[in-house]
């Protein structure tokens, strides 16, 4: 499972984790930090949108080791 950090405002700790890769794209878990509380949702992200987010810098691959990554 790869984790990517979402570009955000201020000290945002939002990220997505790829849970499953399918033909059309990815099933991802979105983890958002809301004033110290985690808002977790699961969604579909198309391959084209994912690649566009990487190119524009909205998503960057997390450098945190898997053991230290959010385990939600």
């Amino acid at each position: 499972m790869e984790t990517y950090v979402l570009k955000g405002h201020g000290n945002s700790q939002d990220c997505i984790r790829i849970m499953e890769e399918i033909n059309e794209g990815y099933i991802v878990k979105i983890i958002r930090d809301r004033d110290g509380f985690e808002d977790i949702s699961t969604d579909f992200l198309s391959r084209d949108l994912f690649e566009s987010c990487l190119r524009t810098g909205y998503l960057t691959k997390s450098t945190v080791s898997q053991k230290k990554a959010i385990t939600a």
Side-chain angles (χ1 to χ4, degrees):
M1 290 185 288
E2 295 179 335
T3 301
Y4 293 84
V5 177
L6 292 163
K7 184 176 182 178
H9 305 301
N11 293 335
S12 176
Q13 298 295 319
D14 300 346
C15 65
I16 67 167
R17 177 171 293 143
I18 296 176
M19 304 306 291
E20 182 180 350
E21 183 174 355
I22 56 178
N23 287 338
E24 299 82 19
Y26 305 93
I27 304 298
V28 297
K29 185 173 285 190
I30 304 166
I31 305 152
R32 294 190 177 271
D33 182 352
R34 299 287 186 220
D35 298 322
F37 296 97
E38 288 183 346
D39 177 24
I40 301 171
S41 60
T42 303
D43 208 341
F44 170 78
L45 189 61
S46 73
R47 192 172 305 278
D48 289 339
L49 180 57
F50 178 77
E51 291 171 2
S52 178
C53 289
L54 286 175
R55 279 193 309 274
T56 61
Y58 185 71
L59 288 176
T60 54
K61 191 163 186 175
S62 176
T63 58
V64 177
S65 71
Q66 288 294 341
K67 290 181 181 179
K68 293 182 180 180
I70 299 172
T71 58

